Amino acid sequence: MHNHHLLNVLKTFSRKEMTRFTEFSLSPYHHKHEATQALVAYLDKCFPEFPERLCDRKLIWKKLFPQDTFDQSKVALLFTYAWRLCENFLIEEQLAQNPQREQLLLIALRERRQWAIYERQLKKSKKTLHNTSHRDTDYYRQVMALAEEANEFYTVWEPRAQDQSLVEKEHALDQYYVLEKLRDAVQLQMRRQILQGDYSARLLEGVLEELRLNPEAYRKAPAVQVYYQLYQMMDQPSLSAYQAALVIFQQNESRFQTHELTAIYNYLQNFCIARINRNELPFLRELFGLYNAQLARELLHEGGYLIEWHYKNIVTAALRLGELEWVDHFIETQKEALAPVSAENAYRFNKAAYCHAVGEFGKVLELLTQVEYSDLRYNLGAKALLLRTYYELDEFEALHALVESFRQYLQRNRLLADSRRNGYYHLFRLTRRLAKLRAQYSYMDIDQATQRLAKIKEDMKQTDSIFNRAWLERKLEALEQSRNSG
């Protein structure tokens, strides 16, 4: 039973959640089947690994029914009951965090015609919502839901001469609709950069026209303003459009919940990366600023730990900016912020990248031999770092062998996206050509050397996707200058 979906879900629980689930199973209100309660109590003892030897169906039967003959169908039925119990537990856990719980209470009070209690609760719910700092889609959804509920109350109780609940609902609905269309439009714009397909946003033009004709109606809706600027940034990409979006976002950061903050930073971050890939280098400094802003707010963390890929990307961006002292300090101090399971591997890889940047090439080779390459990103990044190190050390035979093995690796790995495959392929191809020319450069005929150098330069110019392009350009320029100075 160790592969049962119940166990797969329980493995995702924290210790606190597993304890609550066990207590939930013992509540007679939720569940009264004693054998299922006994199964959950046994699984609690197997938490968190649920090893196969302890979750064997025959062993479970022996633990639960030591005097009875093994019955496989009964074990399966118990797991079915336990899974249904787990489903109800997950629903209850979500309801406990759902801001619309109070609306459910209002519905219950209205249906029981408890008008005095209802009005007090409605007033309390509106005040609580008004006092929240965020003004995102969740906020407008809740305003809309409360206004709709208040309107239902108005229609079934005593009609009052003045009731604004329907007007409030319509106003919130306008804000919610405009904001959701803009959010979706921004996300669709982002997807167009990654995936092929028809991602047209129907009715979007009507929303954009509404914002152009009635700007004052949305002036006090910060989320609408932010997403409108994000859409403008993606529709007409430029540094000034990016900066306009960033400014209005920074002015209204307190209006967004954490998950929304993370999403917006990702949009800005991915926009910068796309422009950097087009060789628009001012965006590199912008990207670095975004990373630092997210670090300060711990938006790059998960489960209390800094995500190792953010650690790697931050190091990469800072090295490209030449922030060597900052990088060294960051690598050392943030190592402790990484999850223990990945800390050493991430540290060695990024330390190797730093050592390459400061010219300590021997340390690069030493550190890379200690990196585990089970993840594709480390595998590719380490190969590219090794390639550049061999070039710096004039290890041309090792470089050529690496290029050949990498060519075979790309042929075997069909899951690699074309953009990434092409970027690495061209880096290795052009580096090998440049290394071959460098090995022969000092004793070649000057016209022949100049001609071959010009061909490589033209090839680079005509090739859109080259990883580590800036490094390759520096090496080409250095080779050219070495001949001129000689």
Side-chain angles (χ1 to χ4, degrees), residues 51-168:
E52 184 175 355
R53 62 183 178 81
L54 295 180
C55 296
D56 176 79
R57 66 190 68 191
K58 290 184 178 180
L59 178 61
I60 291 174
W61 177 270
K62 187 176 181 180
K63 292 288 185 181
L64 300 183
F65 311 104
Q67 306 301 322
D68 298 344
T69 304
F70 175 68
D71 186 338
Q72 180 172 321
S73 62
K74 189 172 181 179
V75 175
L77 187 61
L78 282 179
F79 266 81
T80 299
Y81 289 162
W83 171 242
R84 291 175 184 169
L85 187 63
C86 184
E87 288 179 328
N88 290 333
F89 172 74
L90 293 172
I91 291 170
E92 290 292 330
E93 290 288 289
Q94 288 300 310
L95 280 174
Q97 304 172 42
N98 194 325
Q100 293 186 341
R101 288 176 71 250
E102 293 187 357
Q103 186 189 355
L104 297 176
L105 174 59
L106 287 169
I107 293 172
L109 292 171
R110 173 167 51 81
E111 290 178 347
R112 287 162 177 75
R113 307 181 73 80
Q114 298 297 306
W115 307 129
I117 304 174
Y118 180 99
E119 286 197 286
R120 287 200 301 270
Q121 182 61 42
L122 179 62
K123 184 177 180 180
K124 177 185 173 183
S125 297
K126 285 185 174 181
K127 183 178 180 180
T128 300
L129 183 57
H130 177 75
N131 288 338
T132 59
S133 61
H134 65 269
R135 289 295 182 271
D136 51 14
T137 51
D138 285 346
Y139 170 79
Y140 292 115
R141 189 186 298 116
Q142 290 175 61
V143 170
M144 192 167 53
L146 275 178
E148 183 176 15
E149 176 54 39
N151 186 61
E152 288 292 323
F153 167 61
Y154 168 72
T155 58
V156 298
W157 195 38
E158 56 177 75
R160 290 165 286 182
Q162 296 293 328
D163 181 81
Q164 295 296 309
S165 55
L166 193 58
V167 175
E168 290 173 5

Side-chain angles (χ1 to χ4, degrees), residues 147-241:
E148 183 176 15
E149 176 54 39
N151 186 61
E152 288 292 323
F153 167 61
Y154 168 72
T155 58
V156 298
W157 195 38
E158 56 177 75
R160 290 165 286 182
Q162 296 293 328
D163 181 81
Q164 295 296 309
S165 55
L166 193 58
V167 175
E168 290 173 5
K169 176 192 172 183
E170 284 300 302
H171 177 70
L173 178 59
D174 289 345
Q175 305 277 343
Y176 177 77
Y177 176 76
V178 168
L179 178 54
E180 279 293 274
K181 292 298 292 184
L182 287 172
R183 288 176 77 241
D184 288 350
V186 168
Q187 192 170 19
L188 290 171
Q189 288 276 53
M190 188 63 65
R191 287 188 182 183
R192 287 192 188 99
Q193 299 175 15
I194 304 170
L195 302 171
Q196 295 182 351
D198 180 13
Y199 293 106
S200 57
R202 293 172 61 86
L203 306 181
L204 175 62
E205 190 52 46
V207 167
L208 298 175
E209 184 68 12
E210 164 71 5
L211 289 168
R212 285 191 288 267
L213 294 177
N214 301 294
E216 289 302 319
Y218 304 93
R219 191 75 66 193
K220 295 182 179 180
V224 172
Q225 298 296 320
V226 169
Y227 276 98
Y228 182 62
Q229 288 297 333
L230 287 172
Y231 177 79
Q232 298 283 50
M233 174 189 79
M234 293 182 178
D235 190 49
Q236 300 291 332
S238 66
L239 183 59
S240 60

Side-chain angles (χ1 to χ4, degrees), residues 19-32 34 36-38 40-41 85:
T19 300
R20 283 204 304 271
F21 176 53
T22 305
E23 293 170 346
F24 183 84
S25 72
L26 295 173
S27 168
Y29 175 81
H30 296 291
H31 196 74
K32 297 180 180 180
E34 292 182 0
T36 307
Q37 292 172 338
V40 174
L85 187 63

